[in-house]
Amino acid sequence: MKTFRPSTIMAALMASGLAYVSQPIYAQEAESEENTPDEEVIERIEVRGFSTSLIQSLNQKRFGDTVSEQISADDLGGLPDVSMADALTRLPGISAVRTGGQAAEINIRGLAGDFVFSTLNGREQVSTSGSRAIEFDQYPSELINSAAVYKSPKASLIEGGVAGTVELQTASPLAIEEQHKFSANIRGMYNDRASEIPDAEEYGHRVSFSYQGKFMDDTVGVSLGYARLYQPSVSTQFVGLAYNGEVDVDGVEGDMDNVGSDCPECELISEGFEMQHKGGEETRDGYMAAFEWAPVENFTLKADAFVSKFDSEAFARGYRVKLGGVNAGITNPVVVNNSVVGGTFTRTDNSFTRVELVNDDNQDFDQVESYGIKADWQITDNLAAQFDVSLSKAESNFRNGLLWSLVSEDADAASPTFDENVQISYLLNGLNLPDLAFNQADAFSDVDRVMVSKYGIYPYENEDELNAYRVDFQYYVDMPLFSSWEFGYRYSDRDYSNDRSVFEFGNDGGFSASQPPLRLTQDMVDVVNWSGDFGYFPSYLSVDLDSALNAWFPGGIPQPAQTWGPGAAGVINGPGTGPATAWSVQESGDVFETVNAAYLMANINTEIGDIPVSGNVGVRYVRSKQRSTTLQRATRFVTDPETGTSVEVSDPTAGAQNITDEVGLINNFYRPTILSHEFTDILPSINLNFKLTDATQLRVAAAKVMGRAPINRFAANSSTNVEEVAATMDRDSGEVTLSNPTAKINGSARNSPYLDPFYATQYDVSWEYYFQDTDGALIVAAFYKDIESFIENIAIEPYDFEGNGFTVPSEIEVPVFLEPEFSGQEPELARDANGDPIFVSVPTENGRYETAINNAEGGYIRGVEVAYTQIYSMLPGIWSGLGVSASYSYTESEIQRTLSDGVFSSRLPGLSENVATVTLFWEYEGFETRVSGRYRDAFVSEQVAVNDQTVNFDDELVIDYQASYEINDNMSVLFQVNNVTDEPTKSYFTSPEQTGTIQFFGTQYFLGMTYTL
């Protein structure tokens, strides 16, 4: 059997110091006279600490067979990071997107999380996000023993990582040196910005326990771990809203700056902006267990489980400014790069200019589970096999609740009216806070003026489950070129479901007569003042959600439901009026994915001249099938004999069925069906490692890689709608006025089960030099990825709906309402002489259709990475424990894409041209201290406002500090500071003058102790 060269590996391990961790060292001094000749004096030296982790990681990288990065912990609980997201960002070419101030999604080599594939103990993991990208803050670092990032693939790795594959590993109890190991970590936490936010939590904690033990002559091993995180989640933020309006505010003759628009003389106007205090708490409970049984020398059976529950409850309070669009009165506009970044906006009869006081309440309950059983059998000296069965589950229940208030003229009036005297003056200052002024500012904190006008709750529930079965074989040979052959097969079956529901009451644009606003009382509210950098913002009323809802709904607070809504087309048993919420039915559904994969790989161990060469070459075959449930329109149009107009009716011959929602409304306009798509891929790969000298090696790799679209993008939720047209009759003349002469037909299928994967051909080269006199390495790597295509949302206007198989009307019947006599009056239908409602016929025309496609435009991503690690053990005395670990990566791409809402960026989502990390550490006689910095320059990701928005983020530098002291062999204390400088996140839309977000999250302080036994 020829698997490796043990002497070479052991020599390298001894040189680097890693062998001292796991191997007994024979004393080099002469035996004392007290020892008999047959006795050996054995001294066991155990090295622990940050430097040891670095050495282990470097050696795992050095002797790996792909281009990879590694993280290794001394033991369970050895990684100090809050989550694995923080830990992974210390590696070259890897950066994180901060959500709520904390790393969650990771980006690899300029590609966003959807391009990153992740496994736990070699098994594919599903996610609570509804996408392929797992949320790494769900994984406590205390329960993970090691992590690897494979930047170049090999055939035996599960396919899916265009950017890279992240492999997390939990403990293997039979691998420990000791018979029993126990560890406990306890840390208190404080956030220094929480005191600025009323009702926000200031203190939190982290607690973890782990045990590993071997029994029955080391044939049975057990690992158990638990980790709890309770932390305040706070931020103070300004959020700009998208530039989605166009109007000519400067009146410059011949102005053509608005390139590519139907209005080239127009300037861009923002929808508005938000100012918010956010607070709440996050609780994460993680559990890990493993049972290992080795009854004979050549067989091991291991069962393991991992569960993580992450619950978040948060509030957002402040105000949301709606500038009013193109119909607002605009004076003194400030225009920069054709964008209106300041001016005075005044409400008009046709605009929606207003200020909404916001009291949002969000709850997010997430859980991931991973279970597996693996058998490892050395069948003969030359043949080995592994059999693995696994289950990965994820559940997410996100409840987005909102309570919005408006300023009234007088809250005590019998019929309160919305104060339409609204004037807003502002000036954005790019990536700094803006100047603001409101004519209603004093009213924002006046309980006699502010009234709650709308309550809404929008649950979003995901379930994702994957069952996988895998068998792998290794056949060892003694050949001049190959050391072994590997082949295997894997089958996976994945089910994803998404359920939407909704409840809405009231109106956010005014006061509804049928759903009147709530009069607030002093016991329901608190006046909130801003402080610090935000101190000049006007005070506002914070509303207690429970008190307000109990007063507004004394008979019980209504609960959300998945419903068509009484106003939806096709409802046969509803009153016919009210909001149409058919989206909650149509956007709910299931996705099914099955994958069959097989691979063949040869491991290389040979020499070219005097240069040893190792690595692998192989091919992976993948057969995928994806299916999605959907509701398709099944109607036809007939002529109404009484009116002579065309009427849409249900068509049972087309499969129409009675579909009942959760509140009992029945819709007969749709037929349920399943759409499916299948494809086959062949993915070759090669990895070669040339050992140029004992200390230097050169790696080269090439592969074709693929990554499937996010699982939620397969949901087939296509729909069409007819634009609403309002018909108003003058009470005196009887003249009918239409809001539009025609009714546009619009549609969307923002997702599609027919989406193909992302494909790329990639090349890697890595030069690695491992220091011989000290511990460390210098590594320089370069990569090139040629990406074939991306998923892109496109819009076609006008779109031939009928020609593409959609059932659409040629005209619609619009009810006529009498012109209101006063603001807030109940709508009143116009009637003919017989008392019947009056309708007018309005012709339809083809409008806009939005859909998702695999575009034909890809491009390259290329870059270089430099990593340097060294422990300066050659320095004298106490300075011998000084060390540094640093990395820098440069990434560029030719790909340019319009992101959303007209936002443009030359960068791909996730791509920062420059990413750098540096950790300076010092260890001496049980004392360790280190300071770390993580820098990434501008990149593209999502910010969350009223809706998700994809924007450009400014560069950021996050600095952390840690110090610890080992009191004795069993106990140590730790002090840690995360985000020392309270680095904010700042974003903008197309250019910096279009302010996106300015968010401050505070600095976190930790103080605690660790006990090991």
Side-chain angles (χ1 to χ4, degrees):
M1 183 169 63
K2 186 177 180 182
T3 57
F4 55 74
R5 297 175 178 172
S7 58
T8 304
I9 292 180
M10 183 52 63
L13 294 178
M14 295 288 287
S16 68
L18 178 59
Y20 296 118
V21 179
S22 57
Q23 299 291 331
I25 306 300
Y26 293 96
Q28 297 180 8
E29 297 179 358
E31 295 178 353
S32 69
E33 296 179 357
E34 298 177 358
N35 295 324
T36 62
D38 326 269
E39 291 177 328
E40 295 175 331
V41 178
I42 299 177
E43 179 185 4
R44 183 179 297 277
I45 302 174
E46 185 177 12
V47 182
R48 295 185 297 183
F50 184 71
S51 60
T52 306
S53 176
L54 288 178
I55 297 167
Q56 291 174 336
S57 300
L58 281 176
N59 278 282
Q60 290 166 353
K61 175 184 178 69
R62 183 176 186 176
F63 298 106
D65 57 357
T66 66
V67 178
S68 66
E69 308 294 342
Q70 306 280 342
I71 296 175
S72 180
D74 301 340
D75 196 6
L76 278 176
L79 294 173
D81 310 278
V82 172
S83 73
M84 288 308 301
D86 291 312
L88 291 166
T89 55
R90 296 201 301 265
L91 299 175
I94 299 176
S95 53
V97 178
R98 291 193 293 162
T99 302
Q102 187 167 290
E105 176 190 311
I106 68 167
N107 305 152
I108 299 178
R109 286 182 162 178
L111 287 170
D114 283 334
F115 297 89
V116 176
F117 186 76
S118 304
T119 64
L120 178 66
N121 295 328
R123 302 164 182 136
E124 181 180 358
Q125 296 296 288
V126 297
S127 171
T128 59
S129 66
S131 68
R132 302 282 177 182
I134 73 170
E135 296 179 312
F136 285 94
D137 57 349
Q138 185 89 43
Y139 292 78
S141 63
E142 297 94 334
L143 302 183
I144 303 297
N145 251 31
S146 64
V149 179
Y150 296 101
K151 294 178 176 177
S152 69
K154 57 182 178 179
S156 59
L157 283 177
I158 304 173
E159 72 286 345
V162 173
T165 297
V166 178
E167 162 66 5
L168 305 179
Q169 287 282 350
T170 58
S172 180
L174 289 182
I176 64 173
E177 287 293 315
E178 302 86 345
Q179 287 298 116
H180 303 280
K181 296 181 74 172
F182 173 79
S183 175
N185 289 282
I186 301 175
R187 299 176 191 176
M189 177 193 303
Y190 169 73
N191 186 298
D192 66 356
R193 188 167 282 272
S195 59
E196 299 179 3
I197 301 173
D199 301 327
E201 294 288 337
E202 295 183 63
Y203 299 96
H205 58 262
R206 289 174 62 188
V207 178
S208 68
F209 303 95
S210 65
Y211 167 76
Q212 299 177 79
K214 297 188 293 185
F215 306 89
M216 300 178 65
D217 296 327
D218 296 348
T219 62
V220 174
V222 175
S223 289
L224 299 171
Y226 168 72
R228 178 180 177 83
L229 168 71
Y230 174 80
Q231 66 179 5
S233 173
V234 299
S235 67
T236 310
Q237 63 183 28
F238 172 88
V239 180
L241 304 182
Y243 280 74
N244 52 16
E246 296 177 325
V247 65
D248 184 7
V249 300
D250 58 12
V252 176
E253 188 174 349
D255 180 5
M256 303 292 286
D257 289 340
N258 200 22
V259 180
S261 168
D262 294 334
C263 182
E265 72 277 9
C266 287
E267 284 71 46
L268 300 175
I269 295 179
S270 169
E271 182 182 340
F273 45 85
E274 305 172 347
M275 290 74 69
Q276 291 183 344
H277 286 123
K278 299 187 74 173
E281 56 270 354
E282 298 174 340
T283 305
R284 183 188 64 202
D285 289 293
Y287 308 84
M288 184 279 299
F291 174 82
E292 208 165 5
W293 180 46
V296 291
E297 189 177 72
N298 65 337
F299 180 82
T300 303
L301 183 68
K302 182 180 178 182
D304 56 79
F306 176 90
V307 178
S308 178
K309 300 178 180 180
F310 202 137
D311 297 340
S312 172
E313 299 189 41
F315 61 79
R317 300 169 182 163
Y319 32 87
R320 179 175 296 119
V321 176
K322 305 303 285 288
L323 292 174
V326 299
N327 295 318
I330 306 173
T331 56
N332 302 317
V334 179
V335 179
V336 178
N337 290 335
N338 208 54
S339 298
V340 177
V341 299
T344 298
F345 283 68
T346 304
R347 185 180 177 95
T348 66
D349 291 341
N350 297 320
S351 77
F352 52 84
T353 310
R354 62 185 184 272
V355 179
E356 303 166 356
L357 273 68
V358 173
N359 283 266
D360 289 352
D361 177 65
N362 295 326
Q363 298 176 314
D364 195 2
F365 305 103
D366 294 343
Q367 178 169 319
V368 296
E369 303 174 51
S370 180
Y371 307 97
I373 299 177
K374 181 178 182 180
D376 194 332
W377 183 19
Q378 186 73 39
I379 302 172
T380 68
D381 286 345
N382 293 330
L383 180 63
Q386 297 83 40
F387 306 91
D388 190 270
V389 179
S390 63
L391 168 65
S392 177
K393 298 173 63 177
E395 298 178 13
S396 176
N397 183 355
F398 175 65
R399 299 173 69 86
N400 172 218
L402 57 88
L403 193 72
W404 290 350
S405 304
L406 296 172
V407 174
S408 70
E409 293 183 355
D410 181 3
D412 288 321
S415 297
T417 57
F418 169 59
D419 184 359
E420 297 187 353
N421 179 23
V422 182
Q423 193 172 80
I424 302 159
S425 296
Y426 78 103
L427 178 63
L428 300 181
N429 292 312
L431 298 178
N432 296 307
L433 291 173
D435 300 322
L436 300 173
F438 306 92
N439 71 323
Q440 294 179 330
D442 292 340
F444 295 164
S445 56
D446 187 349
V447 75
D448 294 323
R449 297 285 303 281
V450 174
M451 302 189 74
V452 178
S453 64
K454 181 175 181 178
Y455 170 63
I457 185 167
Y458 308 89
Y460 199 117
E461 298 181 44
N462 292 325
E463 291 187 7
D464 204 347
E465 181 173 314
L466 182 142
N467 293 276
Y469 309 87
R470 178 173 178 173
V471 58
D472 298 272
F473 294 92
Q474 300 84 40
Y475 183 70
Y476 303 102
V477 295
D478 192 357
M479 298 174 60
L481 182 60
F482 301 122
S483 61
S484 65
W485 293 86
E486 296 186 33
F487 54 95
Y489 167 78
R490 178 179 180 270
Y491 170 81
S492 67
D493 186 358
R494 184 171 186 172
D495 295 348
Y496 167 80
S497 67
N498 172 38
D499 287 308
R500 301 298 309 272
S501 53
V502 59
F503 172 75
E504 293 180 326
F505 186 88
N507 193 324
D508 62 338
F511 293 152
S512 169
S514 59
Q515 298 176 332
L518 171 68
R519 172 64 159 97
L520 292 168
T521 57
Q522 291 290 350
D523 61 322
M524 297 181 189
V525 301
D526 289 305
V527 176
V528 177
N529 301 312
W530 298 84
S531 60
D533 295 336
F534 294 76
Y536 63 94
F537 287 1
S539 303
Y540 64 90
L541 286 182
S542 166
V543 181
D544 182 80
L545 181 68
D546 293 334
S547 297
L549 293 181
N550 288 330
W552 216 5
F553 306 106
I557 301 171
Q559 295 302 306
Q562 190 177 110
T563 176
W564 298 104
V571 172
I572 61 177
N573 66 331
T577 60
T581 53
W583 58 266
S584 67
V585 180
Q586 292 169 330
E587 292 184 14
S588 301
D590 301 297
V591 173
F592 311 99
E593 179 184 79
T594 55
V595 178
N596 287 272
Y599 73 92
L600 174 65
M601 184 175 77
N603 290 308
I604 299 169
N605 190 1
T606 188
E607 291 184 355
I608 298 178
D610 293 330
I611 299 176
V613 180
S614 61
N616 54 71
V617 59
V619 63
R620 190 171 184 90
Y621 169 88
V622 184
R623 179 70 175 170
S624 306
K625 181 177 182 180
Q626 54 208 35
R627 296 170 293 149
S628 172
T629 62
T630 189
L631 297 175
Q632 292 182 331
R633 201 88 160 191
T635 59
R636 58 191 176 91
F637 286 88
V638 298
T639 302
D640 188 326
E642 296 184 4
T643 63
T645 59
S646 181
V647 179
E648 186 178 14
V649 298
S650 175
D651 185 3
T653 64
Q657 298 182 15
N658 288 342
I659 302 174
T660 305
D661 67 17
E662 292 181 350
V663 300
L665 295 177
I666 301 172
N667 194 311
N668 64 359
F669 269 22
Y670 296 89
R671 67 183 183 96
T673 189
I674 294 180
L675 305 179
S676 63
H677 178 52
E678 297 185 50
F679 53 90
T680 300
D681 295 300
I682 296 177
L683 308 173
S685 62
I686 184 170
N687 292 272
L688 296 175
N689 183 20
F690 299 88
K691 188 175 180 182
L692 305 179
T693 68
D694 287 342
T696 308
Q697 58 191 29
L698 178 70
R699 297 181 190 272
V700 293
K704 181 179 180 181
V705 294
M706 60 90 83
R708 298 179 182 87
I711 191 76
N712 56 6
R713 297 303 303 270
F714 293 150
N717 55 359
S718 63
S719 63
T720 59
N721 62 80
V722 181
E723 185 180 45
E724 290 187 5
V725 176
T728 306
M729 176 182 287
D730 186 279
R731 290 177 181 268
D732 297 324
S733 66
E735 181 182 357
V736 175
T737 302
L738 296 175
S739 59
N740 290 303
T742 61
K744 279 191 176 181
I745 300 170
N746 297 309
S748 67
R750 299 300 295 271
N751 303 317
S752 171
Y754 302 114
L755 291 173
D756 286 327
F758 311 97
Y759 293 105
T761 302
Q762 68 175 44
Y763 307 92
D764 290 89
V765 59
S766 175
W767 178 84
E768 303 169 6
Y769 174 68
Y770 295 88
F771 304 134
Q772 294 181 296
D773 296 331
T774 64
D775 294 316
L778 174 64
I779 297 166
V780 180
F783 66 92
Y784 183 95
K785 294 177 185 286
D786 183 10
I787 297 179
E788 293 182 12
S789 68
F790 287 94
I791 293 175
E792 191 162 31
N793 294 326
I794 64 167
I796 303 170
E797 188 175 10
Y799 181 77
D800 184 2
F801 284 91
E802 187 173 5
N804 283 280
F806 287 88
T807 303
V808 294
S810 58
E811 61 183 20
I812 61 171
E813 297 299 300
V814 176
V816 179
F817 289 86
L818 293 174
E819 189 178 41
E821 296 176 300
F822 55 87
S823 178
Q825 182 183 5
E826 283 279 357
E828 183 181 352
L829 282 169
R831 299 181 181 274
D832 60 19
N834 297 322
D836 296 324
I838 298 174
F839 291 84
V840 294
S841 297
V842 178
T844 62
E845 65 172 326
N846 286 325
R848 178 186 181 94
Y849 185 67
E850 297 179 348
T851 189
I853 63 167
N854 289 92
N855 67 22
E857 297 182 7
Y860 69 74
I861 300 175
R862 62 190 181 191
V864 294
E865 298 168 350
V866 180
Y868 166 68
T869 298
Q870 188 166 17
I871 301 171
Y872 302 111
S873 55
M874 80 291 287
L875 296 177
I878 63 174
W879 301 112
S880 62
L882 189 67
V884 65
S885 178
S887 68
Y888 167 77
S889 65
Y890 174 80
T891 307
E892 65 174 14
S893 174
E894 66 178 346
I895 303 167
Q896 296 185 344
R897 303 171 71 196
T898 297
L899 303 175
S900 64
D901 294 324
V903 180
F904 180 81
S905 176
S906 61
R907 298 179 179 89
L908 283 171
L911 189 149
S912 289
E913 284 191 347
N914 298 283
V915 174
T917 66
V918 61
T919 299
L920 181 66
F921 60 93
W922 179 57
E923 302 175 358
Y924 180 69
E925 294 187 353
F927 177 74
E928 290 187 13
T929 184
R930 63 180 181 267
V931 60
S932 302
R934 304 192 303 269
Y935 170 82
R936 69 179 302 184
D937 64 9
F939 64 101
V940 169
S941 188
E942 283 191 351
Q943 72 171 13
V944 178
V946 178
N947 300 302
D948 289 348
Q949 300 171 342
T950 304
V951 296
N952 297 275
F953 277 80
D954 194 30
D955 56 44
E956 61 182 32
L957 172 63
V958 180
I959 298 174
D960 301 327
Y961 173 75
Q962 179 174 310
S964 64
Y965 178 68
E966 192 174 273
I967 299 172
N968 54 45
D969 290 342
N970 305 110
M971 185 175 296
S972 61
V973 293
L974 174 140
F975 174 68
Q976 186 175 350
V977 186
N978 288 348
N979 195 12
V980 173
T981 60
D982 191 11
E983 178 77 353
T985 60
K986 297 183 177 182
S987 71
Y988 54 91
F989 291 95
T990 295
S991 50
E993 71 275 356
Q994 297 181 346
T995 310
T997 56
I998 302 173
Q999 297 175 295
F1000 291 86
F1001 304 103
T1003 299
Q1004 291 180 324
Y1005 298 86
F1006 298 83
L1007 180 63
M1009 62 178 297
T1010 299
Y1011 179 79
T1012 59
L1013 183 64

